[in-house]
């Protein structure tokens, strides 16, 4: 009886019982459930819970769906109001369920924003009101096209018919667009075809994401550049571009600069072999609002750092540099002058300089011979003791350090030097390395409690005469001011 009383409370009482945020969350859950239920499977359901959440959860049950359908067909009472009924033995009025089309516009809009495209399209067929909301421009400002080949990918793909509807009716509303493609060339070519049709758009953010290489790199160079140029020319308000692992080239970057120099703030283009140092320098020379830049080391130059340090340029916030070698011994790495680094830091004192290294040991020779203002260092391959020693001497701004592998010699001295010289260090991760327990405790002690993240594999620590594995847990926890245990697997 109590459950029946709860289910039949009128919708007008809902906002008194639950906040709008909870209503949205529960309706979202119920909508997804409702849309997944086949109409042939509709049957009455019993509710055994007495929780007030049933007021909303019951919307997803098939019995309520039947009542909603019947309410849409029912005629209004001659008196202008539906007859109030009372549940037997209850003081609560029983009202006919409200038409889903009468839900507040802003609530339905927020529900739609959390639905996938296919569920959103299904929901639009519930009623005319929901169909109108389906075409609201706000729903089409942010969209991700998922393009995958069923034969080679388990990921869901955006249906071609829906893509054409989007291009036909909502291209002018798109502002934050990304393309997620699998490793098939056909998927990347489909993305280029869509880009070529976005001629009436005002895109602000564009992202091309390959879930597996090669993807965009296998597309015809002319086809890719032509499609990208369409967006660069027509948008004129691009602020964020992520085009890693693509065949973008210098001429297309010039088109980007010519049409979006006043608005561009973020550019990520690592692993773009057709771009030269002159091409990226053109971007820095003209896009004075650029705040974040990601590129490969071969594009980094003294001229680029000086351009980013000019008085016309805003303060750079984030510079990511990928240092990658595919063929050991065949890649030449140049050296950046210390004066160029100093100019950048003088102009942008809070800039984060992040470097990802995927080199072989013999290729580290040009790096960190002089003071370098790097803040975050990640080594994806083995790095020598000598290299870590140089980091301790010449990287005073270092904030985070991750070493995935090293040789079989303990790194005690190198870590202690890093703790002493790198006063901003707050996070460190060590993988296949070796550190004595005594050396590790000394490192933590000299960091003086500033370590917020300490991810060390248990195999890294070598017990000695001062500490065993149980004792080091207590000693490190004492210096950190919190409970700490070594990791069973890497967490970075």
């Amino acid at each position: 009886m109590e459950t029946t009383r709860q289910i039949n409370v009128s919708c007008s009482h809902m906002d008194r019982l639950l906040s709008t945020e909870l209503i949205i969350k529960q309706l979202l859950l119920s909508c997804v459930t409702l849309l997944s239920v086949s109409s042939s499977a509709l049957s009455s359901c019993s509710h055994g819970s007495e929780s007030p959440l049933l007021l909303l959860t019951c919307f997803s049950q098939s019995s309520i769906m039947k009542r909603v359908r019947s309410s849409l067909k029912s005629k209004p009472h001659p008196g202008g109001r539906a007859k109030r009924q009372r549940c037997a033995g209850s003081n609560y009025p029983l009202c006919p369920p409200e038409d889903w089309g009468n839900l507040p516009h802003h609530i339905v809009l927020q529900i739609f924003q959390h639905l996938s495209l296919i569920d959103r399209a299904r929901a639009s067929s519930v009623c005319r009101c929901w169909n109108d909301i389906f075409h609201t421009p706000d729903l089409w400002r942010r969209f991700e096209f998922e393009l995958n080949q069923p034969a080679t990918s388990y990921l869901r793909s955006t249906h071609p018919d829906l893509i054409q509807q989007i291009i036909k009716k909502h291209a002018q509303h798109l502002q934050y667009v990304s393309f997620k493609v699998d490793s098939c060339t056909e998927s990347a070519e489909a993305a280029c075809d869509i880009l070529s049709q976005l001629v009436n758009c005002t895109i602000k953010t564009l992202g091309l994401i390959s879930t597996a290489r090669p993807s965009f790199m296998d597309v015809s160079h002319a086809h890719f550049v032509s499609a990208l140029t369409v967006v660069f020319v027509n948008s004129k308000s691009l602020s964020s571009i992520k085009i890693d692992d693509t065949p973008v080239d210098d001429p297309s970057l010039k088109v980007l600069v010519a049409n979006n120099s006043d608005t561009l703030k973020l550019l990520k283009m690592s692993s773009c072999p057709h771009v030269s140092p002159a091409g990226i320098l053109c971007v820095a020379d003209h896009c004075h609002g650029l705040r974040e830049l990601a590129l490969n080391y071969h594009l980094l130059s003294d001229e680029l750092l000086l351009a980013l340090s000019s008085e016309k340029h805003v303060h750079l916030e984030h510079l990511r540099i990928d240092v990658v070698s595919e063929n050991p011994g065949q890649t030449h790495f140049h050296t950046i002058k210390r004066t160029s680094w100093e100019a950048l830091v003088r102009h942008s004192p809070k800039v984060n300089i992040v470097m990802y290294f995927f080199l072989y040991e013999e290729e580290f020779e040009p790096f960190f011979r002089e003071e370098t203002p790097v803040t975050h260092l990640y080594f994806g391959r083995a790095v020598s003791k000598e290299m870590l020693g140089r980091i301790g001497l010449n990287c005073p701004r270092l904030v985070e350090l991750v070493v995935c592998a090293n040789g079989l010699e303990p790194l005690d001295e190198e870590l202690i030097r890093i703790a002493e010289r790198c006063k901003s260090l707050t996070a460190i991760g060590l993988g296949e390395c070796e550190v004595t327990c005594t050396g590790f405790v000394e490192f933590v002690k000299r960091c003086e409690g500033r370590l917020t993240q300490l991810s060390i594999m248990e195999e890294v620590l070598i017990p000695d005469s001062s500490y065993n594995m149980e004792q080091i847990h207590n000693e490190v926890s004492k210096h950190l001011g919190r409970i700490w245990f070594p990791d069973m697997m890497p967490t970075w």
Side-chain angles (χ1 to χ4, degrees), residues 93 98 122 169 204 262 286-287 321-322 370 372-373 402 437 459:
E98 291 191 7
R122 288 169 178 165
K169 295 185 177 181
K204 295 181 179 180
D262 293 336
H286 294 87
C287 300
I321 306 161
D322 290 347
E370 296 184 316
T372 308
V402 172
C437 287
E459 292 80 2

Side-chain angles (χ1 to χ4, degrees), residues 19-175:
S19 65
T20 302
E21 181 180 0
L22 183 56
I23 292 176
I24 293 171
K25 289 180 179 178
Q26 291 291 335
L27 284 176
L28 173 60
L29 178 63
S30 61
C31 280
V32 174
T33 305
L34 178 63
L35 292 170
S36 64
V37 176
S38 169
S39 55
S40 62
L42 292 176
S43 60
S44 59
C45 300
S46 61
H47 305 281
S49 171
E50 298 185 359
S51 168
L53 291 179
L54 281 173
L55 294 171
L56 296 175
T57 308
C58 65
F59 269 66
S60 65
Q61 305 302 325
S62 54
S63 59
I64 299 299
M65 184 59 182
K66 286 183 176 179
R67 282 195 268 171
V68 170
R69 287 176 173 172
S70 64
S71 69
L72 292 174
K73 298 178 182 179
S74 61
K75 297 181 179 180
H77 189 266
R81 294 183 178 179
K83 289 184 178 180
R84 287 189 173 270
Q85 305 174 20
R86 293 186 180 276
C87 181
S90 170
N91 294 324
Y92 290 91
L94 174 62
C95 295
E98 291 191 7
D99 182 354
W100 280 38
N102 290 334
L103 289 173
H105 180 281
H106 70 281
I107 290 182
V108 179
L109 181 61
Q110 289 193 46
I111 292 173
F112 272 40
Q113 287 173 340
H114 288 83
L115 294 177
S116 65
L117 176 61
I118 190 67
D119 288 337
R120 196 187 300 172
R122 288 169 178 165
S124 68
S125 63
V126 169
C127 61
R128 182 176 298 176
C129 176
W130 283 26
N131 186 262
D132 292 340
I133 295 174
F134 176 72
H135 294 289
T136 301
D138 286 347
L139 282 177
W140 301 100
R141 302 200 193 284
R142 188 180 303 273
F143 192 81
E144 180 177 80
F145 293 92
E146 297 183 81
L147 305 171
N148 306 291
Q149 301 303 310
T152 59
S153 176
Y154 63 89
L155 299 173
R156 184 171 61 180
S157 187
T158 307
H159 196 281
D161 292 342
L162 288 174
I163 291 175
Q164 289 305 312
Q165 183 183 25
I166 293 167
I167 293 173
K168 182 178 179 181
K169 295 185 177 181
H170 302 292
Q172 70 273 22
H173 302 142
L174 295 173
Q175 292 184 0

